[in-house]
Each structure stands twice: as structure tokens, then as C-alpha cells.
Amino acid sequence: NTPLVQLLRSLPALGLARGGRQVRSVEQEVLWRLRRLSLRQLAQLAELLAGQAHDSLLLPEVLRKLELRWTELDGTRTVVSLMARVGHLSPALMERLEDKALELAEQFDPDELRRVALALALQQRRCVPLLRALSYHLLQKPAELPLPVLTDLLFAFSKLSFQQPQVLHRLSLELQPHLGTLSPAQVSRCARSFASLRWLSRPLAEAIAQYCLDNTQNLSLTQLCGILVSFARLNFQPSSSEEFFSMIHEQLQGQEQQLDMHLLVDVVWSLCVLQQAQPPHLSQVLSPEFHTRLQGDTSPRAQSSWLKLLHINATARLEAPGYQGPFLPAEALGQGRDKDREKATPLQRGLWEALPGALGGPDLVRCGVSTVYGWDIDAEAVLDSDNKPLPVRDFSAPHLSHSEGTKPLPPGARRVAVLRWEVPQFSSQGRELLGRGSMACRHLRAAGFLLAEVS
């Protein structure tokens, strides 16, 4: 059996056609002997056949045999190799390999931990028990992790939206000394990964900002924009803010036409979040020639860009006193903003049930409010100067695309917006970064709201 498997592995090096008679003859002989092959030989065959371009009748049978004999797996190397090279071909086998990896996780070295995490990320398999085990055993490794392990683990965790604070703290701490040796593409990718995980390490972010200042000529415009968007998602202002944003504006000047439409919206939105947007940026994306290209497009990317345009429009109205226009048309402000109550979280539903009783009646509260600023308010109430609730639907509501009432607010009355924080979906660090100082809170305050938090 061993020489036969070695022969099959050697045939491509002999220049024989993969679908030729000789290769098919050897594959047929291996097929007849599958039940007598060792598990190691089956694993070698699976990796060999998975890497070949032609369709082989042998591969499905090899995978089936591995699915049946997975309990015989006992070496970390074989498990890791199968997960990385073969797992995507058989979901059933991948489930068995995940179980075996969970059992062997304590024996994985850092490189094997990296390869398992990458295999899960590339196959979009968010196996939380295995990810937790990998995180735990990673933290037990006393030695400093190699750079490829740091960058690949960060990519894998961000791809799977798996946030483990102790691991992210270690990755950011050990990544910082290596930052100067990374390429601009790697630095941009690391920044995007931390941003997608809503994890801010201020020393690392400061180092990334300084890297941008020191390597401006080596960073492409797309990479620089990626770092800017990452800072906006983390609501991070560098200590060298003036120098950093001067460099950003200088690099962007006259280059906006080179950017993809959606990336340009992301860049202007990021400048709005960081309170660095200038009138030319606002007018470029709010012009009718630009925003009409997004209308009617139902793709997720276009819907996300349209929502950001609403935020940009709110910034132009509420936070840019010298800006004269253009703005988004009134009829476009409510597009795609319908609330789906069936998707409400338990906290939302509990809030909507409790508030009418607490305030004194359903007419004193408006629930699930979608504003023209692009932000959703979980509940809204109007209080008079003595903090007594008033019928909310009797008064004009400039923050809505269609107002039910026409009365102006009485003197001394204020609108109160109730916002929720979901825990643990919204981490404590994310709340600190994106809470009171976020663009949503700034816009609502500028529109005359008092803010109330529920968590």
C-alpha cells in the first residue's frame, strides 16, 4: 500500500496527464484498497487530491473514509493540515476535525494555532468553543509570538467577529514593536482588523498614525483611506491630530475622482465622525450628480453608503455652520429606513412595553424612531418645563421625514431620546469609544434632544 500511494503522489512529477490512462489505473487500484489504507495514508491522499485541479472520483471516497475514521486521528499536525487543506471540501469532515481540534488544542504550538484560526476564518466557520479554546491556550504561551502569528490571528478573529479582550490586548501589545517592519498593506490590514473588532489600543493607534506620517510617500491613497476609516470606526483622534489630518487633506486634494464611489463616501463619513470634514468634501458627495447614482441600488454596499450619506447630510446641517449646500432632498431622507419590529432585541421589546406604563400612556411615547439624520432612536418623549410628559405626536418633528403634528414645542419643553446599549454584543470598550462622544450623540444633541441611556 505504501509504494502504491507514493506512486500516485509521484505521477505528476513524471509528466503524465492527470486524466490519462496510467493515472486512472493507479487511482482505481488505490480505490479498491481504501479500506486497507492507514489513516495517515488517507490524509496524505486527501491533501494530494485536494490540491489537484482535475476532478477525481477518488477524492469523494477518501473524504468519506476520513469522515468515518476521524476518531483515529491523534496527531496535531494531521488535524491542522486536514482543516487547512481539505476541510472546505467536506462540511461533515470539518465538523469532526473541529471536535478533534478542540480535544487537542492544548498541544498546538503557536503556528498550529494560527493555521487552525485561519482555516476557520477562510471557511467562515465561527466555531465559538474552538475559538475560545484557541484563545485560552494562546494566552498560556509564555514566549513572544512570531509576527506571522500575530497578523494572521488578528485577521482570523476580525474575519469571524470574535472579540476576546485578553487576546486582542496581547496581539496589540506585541504587534507594536514590529510596526516599523510591516509593509503599508499590512499596517492598513491590521488597522482595519482592530476597527472591525471595535478594539482600540491607543499606543498602537498612535504608532499607526506616526507610521502614516513617516511613510506618506509609500502609502497608496487606498491604504491611507483604509486607515482613516479605521480610526473613524474607533472614534480615535491622534495626539498629532493637526499634523495627521493636514497630511490627509493634502493627499486627498484633487485625488477624490480616483476613489471608488463607496470608498469616497466612507472617507467623507470618516472625516465627519472625526470632525475634520471640509465644505468641498461635503458638497462633493451631497451633490445631486453623486447621490442619484446610489438611489435604486438595493445591494448591501449601496444601502450602507446611503446610510452614511444621511449621516454626512446631518453633519452638514447640524455641525457645519458655514456650509451652504447642496443637501440631500427631503423626499430622499426617509428611504430604506423602515423599522422591522420582528427583529427587535429583547431589550428593545422590554423598553417599548415598559415606557408607556412609566410615562402614563401610549400617546406620550414614540417607539422605534428612524430619524432623517440616519440614526435610530429606540424611544422618544417630550417633557415640559416641569418634566411632565406631553403627547409626543401633537408636536412638529423636524427629525422625522413625515411629521404627524404641527404644534411647536411649548417654552421650556425638551425632547428626550432613549438609546440602548446591548451587552455583551456591545462591549464596555466599544461603549466608551462610540457612546457619549459619537457622531450619533452629537447630532441628536445638536438637534435639541436630551439623551437617556438604557443598558
Side-chain angles (χ1 to χ4, degrees):
N1 293 336
T2 299
L4 181 64
V5 173
Q6 292 174 342
L7 172 62
L8 183 60
R9 297 177 64 183
S10 303
L11 289 178
L14 298 176
L16 296 176
R18 289 175 176 172
R21 180 174 57 82
Q22 295 91 340
V23 175
R24 283 189 281 107
S25 176
V26 176
E27 287 185 349
Q28 188 63 45
E29 182 65 25
V30 173
L31 184 61
W32 289 338
R33 300 192 190 190
L34 277 184
R35 296 179 64 181
R36 288 177 282 165
L37 297 184
S38 68
L39 190 69
R40 182 179 179 182
Q41 291 169 336
L42 286 174
Q44 292 174 344
L45 275 176
E47 294 175 22
L48 169 69
L49 297 171
Q52 295 179 355
H54 79 293
D55 294 331
S56 171
L57 297 177
L58 183 58
L59 180 58
E61 293 301 322
V62 173
L63 294 176
R64 191 171 295 112
K65 287 292 185 291
L66 285 172
E67 290 172 17
L68 295 174
R69 297 174 59 182
W70 69 279
T71 53
E72 299 177 34
L73 290 168
D74 57 358
T76 59
R77 184 176 179 180
T78 302
V79 173
V80 172
S81 296
L82 287 175
M83 292 183 75
R85 300 180 184 178
V86 183
H88 65 284
L89 299 174
S90 172
L93 176 60
M94 189 63 180
E95 289 182 10
R96 306 291 190 273
L97 293 172
E98 288 172 355
D99 292 340
K100 201 66 181 180
L102 187 58
E103 178 184 328
L104 300 173
E106 187 175 2
Q107 303 174 31
F108 290 156
D109 60 32
D111 187 65
E112 289 172 334
L113 290 170
R114 174 188 70 88
R115 294 183 63 195
V116 171
L118 273 181
L120 294 174
L122 295 176
Q123 298 175 44
Q124 287 292 299
R125 296 186 66 91
R126 197 174 186 274
C127 180
V128 174
L130 181 54
L131 289 172
R132 287 175 177 167
L134 296 179
S135 300
Y136 173 79
H137 293 295
L138 180 70
L139 292 172
Q140 308 310 307
K141 307 295 180 185
E144 186 174 336
L145 299 174
L147 183 58
V149 174
L150 295 172
T151 54
D152 286 347
L153 282 175
L154 179 59
F155 164 78
F157 286 164
S158 66
K159 188 80 171 175
L160 297 171
S161 299
F162 181 76
Q163 189 190 73
Q164 214 289 337
Q166 290 86 355
V167 170
L168 293 178
H169 176 72
R170 178 173 182 176
L171 293 181
S172 60
L173 191 66
E174 296 189 14
L175 190 61
Q176 187 178 343
H178 296 285
L179 202 62
T181 65
L182 298 181
S183 68
Q186 289 175 312
V187 173
S188 177
R189 188 160 54 245
C190 289
R192 292 199 306 269
S193 296
F194 278 114
S196 69
L197 289 167
R198 290 290 193 265
W199 178 264
L200 174 62
S201 167
R202 291 191 179 276
L204 180 62
E206 291 284 4
I208 291 175
Q210 189 60 47
Y211 180 96
C212 293
L213 292 172
D214 295 340
N215 297 272
T216 304
Q217 301 304 318
N218 299 326
L219 283 160
S220 70
L221 185 60
T222 303
Q223 290 164 351
L224 194 60
C225 290
I227 293 173
L228 174 65
V229 173
S230 300
F231 283 176
R233 292 188 183 281
L234 294 172
N235 204 11
F236 171 73
Q237 294 275 1
S239 58
S240 55
S241 181
E242 184 176 348
E243 185 181 0
F244 178 79
F245 288 111
S246 294
M247 179 270 293
I248 291 288
H249 291 311
E250 182 180 343
Q251 294 297 313
L252 282 176
Q253 189 172 8
Q255 303 297 318
E256 293 89 344
Q257 299 301 326
Q258 298 182 14
L259 299 178
D260 172 76
M261 176 176 61
H262 301 291
L263 179 57
L264 180 57
V265 172
D266 287 345
V267 167
V268 178
W269 176 83
S270 299
L271 292 172
C272 291
V273 171
L274 299 171
Q275 298 179 284
Q276 298 293 331
Q278 297 177 349
H281 303 138
L282 300 173
S283 61
Q284 186 167 13
V285 297
L286 294 178
S287 65
E289 296 80 12
F290 185 89
H291 69 73
T292 51
R293 293 156 59 189
L294 284 175
Q295 293 180 346
D297 190 343
T298 58
S299 66
R301 183 76 188 274
Q303 294 295 306
S304 175
S305 294
W306 183 257
L307 182 59
K308 288 173 181 173
L309 274 184
L310 294 178
H311 299 166
I312 295 169
N313 189 67
T315 298
R317 289 196 177 277
L318 301 173
E319 295 187 318
Y323 179 72
Q324 301 299 319
F327 299 97
L328 294 181
E331 61 273 12
L333 297 180
Q335 290 184 4
R337 307 288 296 135
D338 295 334
K339 293 290 290 181
D340 188 350
R341 294 232 171 184
E342 293 183 359
K343 296 181 181 178
T345 66
L347 179 58
Q348 273 181 303
R349 289 193 293 269
L351 181 66
W352 293 340
E353 292 172 3
L355 277 178
L359 293 176
D363 59 327
L364 301 177
V365 62
R366 181 186 283 122
C367 297
V369 183
S370 295
T371 69
V372 296
Y373 311 123
W375 307 107
D376 291 338
I377 300 174
D378 292 292
E380 173 196 356
V382 175
L383 303 180
D384 63 15
S385 56
D386 296 324
N387 288 328
K388 294 181 179 179
L390 301 174
V392 68
R393 291 171 181 79
D394 290 350
F395 304 101
S396 62
H399 59 287
L400 300 181
S401 55
H402 302 288
S403 177
E404 298 169 288
T406 57
K407 298 180 184 178
L409 290 183
R414 299 293 299 272
R415 295 186 187 275
V416 178
V418 181
L419 304 176
R420 80 190 187 283
W421 302 105
E422 296 285 354
V423 180
Q425 288 84 354
F426 201 74
S427 68
S428 58
Q429 195 198 42
R431 175 174 176 171
E432 178 186 349
L433 295 173
L434 306 176
R436 299 178 185 275
S438 68
M439 182 162 59
C441 293
R442 295 203 317 261
H443 286 170
L444 292 174
R445 288 195 190 97
F449 280 92
L450 292 175
L451 302 183
E453 298 180 11
V454 177
S455 61

